[in-house]
Amino acid sequence: MLTLENVHTFYGKSHILHGVSVEVGPGEVVGLLGRNGVGKSTTLKTIMGLVRPSQGRVVFEGRDIGGWAPHRLAHLGIAYVPEDRRIFRLLTVYENLRTGLDRGGITEQRKTELLEKVYENFPVLRERRNQAGGTLSGGEQQMLAIARAMMLEPKIILLDEPTEGLMPRMVTQIRHIVDVLHREGVAILLVEQNVPMTLEVSRRVYIMEKGQVRHHAPAEALREDQTMIHQYLGV
Amino acid sequence: MVIPWELLVIQLLNGVIIGMILALVASGLTLIFGIMDVVNFAHGELYMLGAYMGTTVMLTTGNFWLALGGSALTIAALGAVVQVTALRPLLGRDPLTTILATFGISLVLQNYALWQYGPVARKIDEPFTGQFALFHLQFPWYRVVIALLSAAIILALWLFMKYGKYGIWIRATTQDRVMAAAMGIPVPLVYTMVFAIGSAMAAASGVLYAPLVGINHAMGLDVILRAFIVVVVGGMGNLAGSVLAAIFISLLEALASLWVSPAQAVIVSFIVLILTLLIRPTGLFVPTPK
Ligand SMILES: Nc1ncnc2c1ncn2[C@@H]1O[C@H](COP(=O)(O)OP(=O)(O)O)[C@@H](O)[C@H]1O
Ligand SMILES: [Mg+2]
């Protein structure tokens, strides 16, 4: 469904991605691990059209989407939950969700259903729906960022370190929502530092180093034999 | 010198009325700045062209309200074209380039108006000429209507920004352009829309105010200077701040002109501007940042 073929990305003159190839099938949860600064976030940004690949192809459902504007990618069914969450701080929780709801071809009834679904999964968002997004705690902001992405009814969600800096209770909730999305058939490309969680929820895992994918294996294999994890992540 | 209190009341009323018109012009300006970071030097010319467009519609239909609506729509379309052709290509460049671009546009529009409509001032008749007695004076109802209509348009803008789908798009884009795009919001279109709305507001104020001042190709110059002062005093990009600043400054000027000539009273707005920049550069009515 989503394929990166030999993607190279630059920030100005610095060469960040050196030929990354990654694949995510329909409904598949795929992990992307690696130390800080190896290019995981840049990979997601390249998919989302926030930086342009200088070389290589990004293909989504048979279409070469390299260089497409982000809003068109969102309409195609790609949703993005960035590392720093980037919720709209001055918009209320409800308005944050509306940014993904007010789009063409969606009925009022469907909008209500989608809202109900996230309010059920994240009751705290219902409580705080009229509160400015900036007043939420870090964990609540993370939930809002994921909930907001869900409003787009995406086919794939690019999740960048959703559990970073969260308390264990919050991590459990995030983990739960990943399961919910997976059950609904939404594909997920999950960037994480939390290795145990990634190995549990993913089917396959890519390990990156210095802007390249160095290892690729079924999550199960990595759970049993952690040599590669030790080698590339030092944990 | 003792001022009779009737005169004081009349001047206060005049101050509020001028203030509302000024608020309408400044709202468009501050909207465009707040959302697009564009200092629109052509805003006064959109106001001027709006007034001229009002005369054109007035000549063909004879209806003031059609002139108001028709002019706002036409100038909105013009604003959209200007944004797409001149400003969109500059997105992400040094803000100085957009200042130069809008300044260039203002010169083009001014000379276009001179060429199209000639140097002789024109006039739009008031939609109605009723008056009411205010002490010893006959006060035109139309002036009151101007203030009320300006307030209504600003209120409509506020409601649109608060509850409308596009209002939320606009606010989301203001806060985080990249994330807004990632949420499927067509950011380039949002910018065009904002510029069109700002232009329509300038045009509407031009038509509303024209019966009081007469129309000529340079009429934008005077108003834009005052609008800029208001926008800075109100806090760049702050809609409510602009409205308050417009009324505040107009009231001060109206009161000052009880003692000095109206031309000298203008100095008051510069004094407020300078004091604002010295004491509260983020806006007179904005809480001081911690
Ligand atoms: N906007 C940017 N401009 C320049 N360099 C950047 C930018 N963002 C990230 N980088 C650099 O790119 C490299 C990869 O960053 P990133 O993709 O965020 O890594 P990761 O998500 O794996 O921690 C890092 O060396 C980082 O310093
Ligand atoms: Mg990262």
Side-chain angles (χ1 to χ4, degrees), chain A residues 41 83 160-161:
Chain A
S41 298
E83 195 167 13
D160 200 346
E161 302 206 23

Coordinates of all heavy atoms in Angstrom, one line a residue, chain A residues 41 83 160-161, ligand 2:
Chain A
S41 N 12.1 10.5 12.0 CA 11.1 11.5 11.8 C 11.2 12.0 10.4 O 10.1 12.3 9.7 CB 11.3 12.7 12.8 OG 11.2 12.2 14.1
E83 N 6.0 14.1 16.1 CA 6.7 13.9 17.4 C 6.3 14.9 18.4 O 6.1 14.6 19.6 CB 8.2 14.0 17.0 CG 9.1 13.5 18.0 CD 10.5 13.5 17.4 OE1 10.8 14.0 16.3 OE2 11.4 12.8 18.0
D160 N 4.6 9.3 15.2 CA 6.0 9.6 15.5 C 6.2 9.6 17.1 O 5.8 10.6 17.7 CB 6.5 10.9 14.9 CG 8.0 11.0 14.8 OD1 8.7 10.2 15.5 OD2 8.5 11.8 14.1
E161 N 6.8 8.6 17.6 CA 7.1 8.5 19.1 C 5.9 8.9 19.9 O 6.0 9.9 20.7 CB 8.3 9.4 19.4 CG 9.5 8.9 18.6 CD 10.8 9.3 19.3 OE1 10.9 9.4 20.5 OE2 11.9 9.3 18.6
Ligands
MG2 MG 12.4 11.8 15.7

